[in-house]
Amino acid sequence: MEFQIVLVLGLAVVVGLALGLLGGGGSILMVPLLTYVAGMEPKEAIAASLFVVGVTSLVSVFTHARGGNVRWRTGLVFGAAGMAGAFLGGVAGGYLPGAVLMIAFALMMVATAAAMLRGGRKPPPGGGETETLPLRRVVLDGLAVGAVTGLVGAGGGFLVVPALMLLGGLSMPAAVGTSLLVITMKSFAGLGGYLTTVSVDWALVSAVTALAVAGSLVGSLLTSRVPEAALRKVFGIFVLFMGLFVLAQELPAPYGLLPPVLAALVAALVLGCRLIGEYCPLFPLLRPRT
């Protein structure tokens, strides 16, 4: 048990590093960590994850703000809409079976990994906040992203960052910094929804939070020193395998064998396509978006 707790606390630092470096990824790692390593029930793990990521994001916001990478107006508008969706998602999640939540979470991991491996769209020219926000689009997107975050405890940063780049006209560093403000707001709203039906082990969660915060501070300082493209690919591959692992654990037999079989098939297709090059019919799908 002592080794298990030490492992959980050590991995919490990794969660913080991911959040500080990428503006997201905290819940993608935190929920499986608390479920499969710490032994929490899925609903408790999701609620605890929302607290850890919310506090960690809040601390990281001020680190990024000192570098001028937080657009407060854009973040507050998007975050306010996200809070409403996150609270409703958190309330709904408290009444759903844990297995259903974990399967939904695993599917979110796979979708997130695919988006990371393909790469993001380029920000609009200028790299600054647009003078007029498309308010209706921002509110609708905020509600949708917030609902996903509140329901499964994930999908925050990797949905918010591209949305801020496209809707707010933000550069990548500004979108990462602003996404942390949005994630903070949505995480605490989702936590409020879950706490209407779920209780958590606050002693363990507080320790995990403290170490995740320490990792996020280090990650924020490394944002300008670590190649983003390489980091996203490595992290994307890791998230993909974690998502498939969760699916294999949660799907009933014999369907639990499908994720590893599909993963092996996709890996073989990608490897073959890389060897063939541009003549492969899958080449347009594998090429990063611009």
Side-chain angles (χ1 to χ4, degrees), residues 46 50 85-86 89-90 104 108 142-156 159 186:
I46 291 174
L50 289 167
M108 175 59 67
L143 284 170
V145 173
V148 172
T149 303
L151 183 65
V152 301
L159 293 175
K186 294 191 298 87

Side-chain angles (χ1 to χ4, degrees), residues 143-181:
L143 284 170
V145 173
V148 172
T149 303
L151 183 65
V152 301
F158 296 119
L159 293 175
V160 174
V161 169
L164 291 173
M165 292 171 68
L166 294 175
L167 298 177
L170 305 186
S171 64
M172 181 64 188
V176 168
T178 306
S179 77
L180 291 166
L181 173 62

Side-chain angles (χ1 to χ4, degrees), residues 26-28 30-36 40-54 86 89-106 146-155 186-195 198-200 202 205 246:
S27 297
I28 288 291
M30 184 57 69
V31 174
L33 167 64
L34 295 176
T35 302
Y36 299 113
M40 290 186 180
E41 293 296 320
K43 295 179 185 180
E44 183 184 359
I46 291 174
S49 170
L50 289 167
F51 177 80
V52 175
V53 174
V91 172
Y95 293 97
L96 293 175
V100 172
L101 291 173
M102 291 305 294
I103 290 172
F105 178 82
V148 172
T149 303
L151 183 65
V152 301
K186 294 191 298 87
S187 294
F188 285 121
L191 174 64
Y194 260 98
L195 289 180
V198 175
S199 60
V200 298
W202 288 111
V205 171
V246 174

